[in-house]
Amino acid sequence: MIEHAAIQRYREHYRATEIPHGYRPLGHLLFTFGGGLLAFATCLWLVDGLRPVELLAVPAAFLYANFAEYVGHRWPMHRPFRGLGLIYKRHAGQHHRFFTDQAMPFDGLRDLRAVLFPPSLVLFFFGGFGIPAWWALDYFFGSNVAWLFIATAIAYYLNYEFLHTAYHLPAAHSIARIPLVRRLKWLHQTHHDPRQMAHANFNISYPLGDWLCGTLRRRPLAGAEQRPATQATGEKASR
């Protein structure tokens, strides 16, 4: 009870100080999934005269995206690096205080501000990394490979956002009851134990990177229910 009261106090503080008055959660969802699907369809539409060998860009992009998800989550999101402090603050200092393994669901749609990537970061990452990747792939392998690679990266991102949002839905929600979502949510919930968040289960989607790097944890640590409230709310992570 003490832990949940502390989490609720932080959530109220976050809503008052971090969520803009004009924030529109449905607009955020539309930007993420509507805009993402439009960009994905555009990339596929630009593919022309596809050769079977060029389809190898799809698994290559999937593996690259999974590795990038793992690296980005394990280090910049959980360890402070110069120039990346905003990412660390938003994730370790805010997201992990808003959600713990003992309090995973959000309370209302406005809480999506603490779940989905903000549009500014989406545009930054896809603009800063997607455009150079497209140019390099187009130069060395041709435009079809470049468009398929970017399309797969966008699809992976949409899959990431869908799964991450599903993990933070109420347990009774129909999406949360999908068997695959339930299995993957268990891994993510273990990651939200403040004692494990900097050490285990960094893949949000499919735990390939965790499996390869030895950071996959299928079981929570014992004694979670006896954690001090300050540790449970992740206050140490924000310091």
mmCIF file of all heavy atoms in Angstrom, residues 187-207:
data_model
loop_
_atom_site.group_PDB
_atom_site.id
_atom_site.type_symbol
_atom_site.label_atom_id
_atom_site.label_comp_id
_atom_site.label_asym_id
_atom_site.label_seq_id
_atom_site.Cartn_x
_atom_site.Cartn_y
_atom_site.Cartn_z
ATOM 1 N N LEU A 187 8.372 -10.494 -19.295
ATOM 2 C CA LEU A 187 9.777 -10.106 -19.352
ATOM 3 C C LEU A 187 9.924 -8.610 -19.080
ATOM 4 O O LEU A 187 10.826 -8.185 -18.352
ATOM 5 C CB LEU A 187 10.363 -10.449 -20.726
ATOM 6 C CG LEU A 187 10.385 -11.933 -21.113
ATOM 7 C CD1 LEU A 187 10.949 -12.094 -22.521
ATOM 8 C CD2 LEU A 187 11.189 -12.754 -20.116
ATOM 9 N N HIS A 188 9.041 -7.807 -19.657
ATOM 10 C CA HIS A 188 9.133 -6.356 -19.468
ATOM 11 C C HIS A 188 8.780 -5.969 -18.033
ATOM 12 O O HIS A 188 9.385 -5.054 -17.465
ATOM 13 C CB HIS A 188 8.186 -5.658 -20.449
ATOM 14 C CG HIS A 188 8.378 -4.182 -20.492
ATOM 15 N ND1 HIS A 188 9.567 -3.580 -20.857
ATOM 16 C CD2 HIS A 188 7.519 -3.147 -20.206
ATOM 17 C CE1 HIS A 188 9.443 -2.274 -20.800
ATOM 18 N NE2 HIS A 188 8.216 -1.970 -20.398
ATOM 19 N N GLN A 189 7.830 -6.672 -17.443
ATOM 20 C CA GLN A 189 7.479 -6.387 -16.052
ATOM 21 C C GLN A 189 8.646 -6.707 -15.130
ATOM 22 O O GLN A 189 8.905 -5.967 -14.170
ATOM 23 C CB GLN A 189 6.246 -7.201 -15.653
ATOM 24 C CG GLN A 189 5.711 -6.864 -14.267
ATOM 25 C CD GLN A 189 4.341 -7.456 -14.021
ATOM 26 O OE1 GLN A 189 3.671 -7.914 -14.940
ATOM 27 N NE2 GLN A 189 3.916 -7.450 -12.779
ATOM 28 N N THR A 190 9.367 -7.768 -15.433
ATOM 29 C CA THR A 190 10.574 -8.089 -14.655
ATOM 30 C C THR A 190 11.603 -6.971 -14.794
ATOM 31 O O THR A 190 12.269 -6.599 -13.820
ATOM 32 C CB THR A 190 11.167 -9.429 -15.123
ATOM 33 O OG1 THR A 190 10.204 -10.471 -14.915
ATOM 34 C CG2 THR A 190 12.429 -9.771 -14.359
ATOM 35 N N HIS A 191 11.738 -6.406 -15.988
ATOM 36 C CA HIS A 191 12.649 -5.285 -16.200
ATOM 37 C C HIS A 191 12.242 -4.080 -15.359
ATOM 38 O O HIS A 191 13.099 -3.303 -14.918
ATOM 39 C CB HIS A 191 12.666 -4.903 -17.686
ATOM 40 C CG HIS A 191 13.368 -3.617 -17.970
ATOM 41 N ND1 HIS A 191 14.743 -3.494 -17.942
ATOM 42 C CD2 HIS A 191 12.884 -2.380 -18.279
ATOM 43 C CE1 HIS A 191 15.070 -2.245 -18.217
ATOM 44 N NE2 HIS A 191 13.974 -1.544 -18.430
ATOM 45 N N HIS A 192 10.956 -3.911 -15.095
ATOM 46 C CA HIS A 192 10.490 -2.764 -14.328
ATOM 47 C C HIS A 192 10.667 -2.934 -12.823
ATOM 48 O O HIS A 192 10.319 -2.017 -12.070
ATOM 49 C CB HIS A 192 9.025 -2.451 -14.659
ATOM 50 C CG HIS A 192 8.877 -1.471 -15.777
ATOM 51 N ND1 HIS A 192 8.886 -0.108 -15.583
ATOM 52 C CD2 HIS A 192 8.740 -1.652 -17.116
ATOM 53 C CE1 HIS A 192 8.745 0.504 -16.743
ATOM 54 N NE2 HIS A 192 8.650 -0.409 -17.698
ATOM 55 N N ASP A 193 11.184 -4.062 -12.369
ATOM 56 C CA ASP A 193 11.625 -4.170 -10.982
ATOM 57 C C ASP A 193 12.839 -3.245 -10.842
ATOM 58 O O ASP A 193 13.824 -3.416 -11.559
ATOM 59 C CB ASP A 193 12.024 -5.617 -10.676
ATOM 60 C CG ASP A 193 12.485 -5.822 -9.244
ATOM 61 O OD1 ASP A 193 12.914 -4.853 -8.586
ATOM 62 O OD2 ASP A 193 12.430 -6.981 -8.775
ATOM 63 N N PRO A 194 12.801 -2.244 -9.966
ATOM 64 C CA PRO A 194 13.914 -1.293 -9.869
ATOM 65 C C PRO A 194 15.266 -1.941 -9.623
ATOM 66 O O PRO A 194 16.296 -1.365 -9.977
ATOM 67 C CB PRO A 194 13.503 -0.395 -8.694
ATOM 68 C CG PRO A 194 12.024 -0.452 -8.680
ATOM 69 C CD PRO A 194 11.670 -1.860 -9.081
ATOM 70 N N ARG A 195 15.269 -3.141 -9.030
ATOM 71 C CA ARG A 195 16.544 -3.825 -8.793
ATOM 72 C C ARG A 195 17.099 -4.468 -10.056
ATOM 73 O O ARG A 195 18.279 -4.816 -10.111
ATOM 74 C CB ARG A 195 16.356 -4.887 -7.708
ATOM 75 C CG ARG A 195 15.899 -4.333 -6.360
ATOM 76 C CD ARG A 195 15.455 -5.464 -5.439
ATOM 77 N NE ARG A 195 14.335 -6.205 -6.030
ATOM 78 C CZ ARG A 195 13.854 -7.345 -5.522
ATOM 79 N NH1 ARG A 195 14.405 -7.863 -4.435
ATOM 80 N NH2 ARG A 195 12.838 -7.941 -6.093
ATOM 81 N N GLN A 196 16.272 -4.622 -11.082
ATOM 82 C CA GLN A 196 16.710 -5.303 -12.300
ATOM 83 C C GLN A 196 16.757 -4.386 -13.510
ATOM 84 O O GLN A 196 17.331 -4.749 -14.535
ATOM 85 C CB GLN A 196 15.758 -6.462 -12.602
ATOM 86 C CG GLN A 196 15.702 -7.536 -11.527
ATOM 87 C CD GLN A 196 15.708 -8.933 -12.126
ATOM 88 O OE1 GLN A 196 16.694 -9.351 -12.710
ATOM 89 N NE2 GLN A 196 14.600 -9.640 -11.973
ATOM 90 N N MET A 197 16.167 -3.198 -13.416
ATOM 91 C CA MET A 197 15.952 -2.399 -14.618
ATOM 92 C C MET A 197 17.248 -2.009 -15.334
ATOM 93 O O MET A 197 17.247 -1.800 -16.542
ATOM 94 C CB MET A 197 15.149 -1.146 -14.283
ATOM 95 C CG MET A 197 15.857 -0.122 -13.439
ATOM 96 S SD MET A 197 14.777 1.316 -13.162
ATOM 97 C CE MET A 197 15.957 2.470 -12.444
ATOM 98 N N ALA A 198 18.360 -1.906 -14.623
ATOM 99 C CA ALA A 198 19.628 -1.551 -15.257
ATOM 100 C C ALA A 198 20.474 -2.779 -15.577
ATOM 101 O O ALA A 198 21.621 -2.633 -16.015
ATOM 102 C CB ALA A 198 20.423 -0.607 -14.353
ATOM 103 N N HIS A 199 19.885 -3.962 -15.405
ATOM 104 C CA HIS A 199 20.672 -5.188 -15.558
ATOM 105 C C HIS A 199 20.036 -6.240 -16.458
ATOM 106 O O HIS A 199 20.746 -7.144 -16.919
ATOM 107 C CB HIS A 199 20.914 -5.825 -14.184
ATOM 108 C CG HIS A 199 21.495 -4.885 -13.182
ATOM 109 N ND1 HIS A 199 22.798 -4.422 -13.232
ATOM 110 C CD2 HIS A 199 20.930 -4.278 -12.096
ATOM 111 C CE1 HIS A 199 23.018 -3.595 -12.228
ATOM 112 N NE2 HIS A 199 21.903 -3.481 -11.521
ATOM 113 N N ALA A 200 18.732 -6.179 -16.725
ATOM 114 C CA ALA A 200 18.083 -7.306 -17.391
ATOM 115 C C ALA A 200 16.929 -6.865 -18.288
ATOM 116 O O ALA A 200 16.308 -5.826 -18.062
ATOM 117 C CB ALA A 200 17.557 -8.299 -16.346
ATOM 118 N N ASN A 201 16.675 -7.701 -19.309
ATOM 119 C CA ASN A 201 15.489 -7.588 -20.182
ATOM 120 C C ASN A 201 15.368 -6.215 -20.843
ATOM 121 O O ASN A 201 14.394 -5.499 -20.660
ATOM 122 C CB ASN A 201 14.221 -7.929 -19.398
ATOM 123 C CG ASN A 201 14.190 -9.372 -18.939
ATOM 124 O OD1 ASN A 201 15.104 -10.144 -19.218
ATOM 125 N ND2 ASN A 201 13.144 -9.756 -18.245
ATOM 126 N N PHE A 202 16.378 -5.901 -21.652
ATOM 127 C CA PHE A 202 16.408 -4.594 -22.313
ATOM 128 C C PHE A 202 15.645 -4.572 -23.630
ATOM 129 O O PHE A 202 15.293 -3.498 -24.106
ATOM 130 C CB PHE A 202 17.855 -4.150 -22.528
ATOM 131 C CG PHE A 202 18.609 -3.949 -21.246
ATOM 132 C CD1 PHE A 202 19.545 -4.875 -20.808
ATOM 133 C CD2 PHE A 202 18.367 -2.844 -20.455
ATOM 134 C CE1 PHE A 202 20.233 -4.698 -19.618
ATOM 135 C CE2 PHE A 202 19.045 -2.646 -19.261
ATOM 136 C CZ PHE A 202 19.980 -3.586 -18.844
ATOM 137 N N ASN A 203 15.428 -5.715 -24.239
ATOM 138 C CA ASN A 203 14.591 -5.745 -25.435
ATOM 139 C C ASN A 203 13.140 -5.515 -25.044
ATOM 140 O O ASN A 203 12.588 -6.246 -24.222
ATOM 141 C CB ASN A 203 14.711 -7.071 -26.172
ATOM 142 C CG ASN A 203 15.936 -7.164 -27.052
ATOM 143 O OD1 ASN A 203 16.788 -8.028 -26.860
ATOM 144 N ND2 ASN A 203 16.047 -6.293 -28.035
ATOM 145 N N ILE A 204 12.508 -4.517 -25.638
ATOM 146 C CA ILE A 204 11.102 -4.259 -25.371
ATOM 147 C C ILE A 204 10.229 -5.237 -26.146
ATOM 148 O O ILE A 204 9.181 -5.664 -25.674
ATOM 149 C CB ILE A 204 10.731 -2.814 -25.757
ATOM 150 C CG1 ILE A 204 11.638 -1.810 -25.041
ATOM 151 C CG2 ILE A 204 9.260 -2.515 -25.442
ATOM 152 C CD1 ILE A 204 11.503 -1.799 -23.551
ATOM 153 N N SER A 205 10.677 -5.595 -27.334
ATOM 154 C CA SER A 205 9.876 -6.472 -28.184
ATOM 155 C C SER A 205 10.318 -7.924 -28.034
ATOM 156 O O SER A 205 9.851 -8.618 -27.137
ATOM 157 C CB SER A 205 9.958 -6.007 -29.644
ATOM 158 O OG SER A 205 11.314 -5.930 -30.068
ATOM 159 N N TYR A 206 11.235 -8.367 -28.888
ATOM 160 C CA TYR A 206 11.632 -9.769 -28.903
ATOM 161 C C TYR A 206 13.031 -9.908 -28.304
ATOM 162 O O TYR A 206 13.961 -9.225 -28.743
ATOM 163 C CB TYR A 206 11.579 -10.309 -30.333
ATOM 164 C CG TYR A 206 10.252 -9.980 -30.981
ATOM 165 C CD1 TYR A 206 10.163 -8.986 -31.958
ATOM 166 C CD2 TYR A 206 9.083 -10.609 -30.565
ATOM 167 C CE1 TYR A 206 8.936 -8.651 -32.521
ATOM 168 C CE2 TYR A 206 7.860 -10.286 -31.126
ATOM 169 C CZ TYR A 206 7.791 -9.297 -32.103
ATOM 170 O OH TYR A 206 6.585 -8.971 -32.652
ATOM 171 N N PRO A 207 13.219 -10.773 -27.310
ATOM 172 C CA PRO A 207 14.439 -10.754 -26.485
ATOM 173 C C PRO A 207 15.661 -11.408 -27.121
ATOM 174 O O PRO A 207 16.407 -12.120 -26.455
ATOM 175 C CB PRO A 207 13.992 -11.509 -25.225
ATOM 176 C CG PRO A 207 12.970 -12.477 -25.704
ATOM 177 C CD PRO A 207 12.221 -11.743 -26.800
#
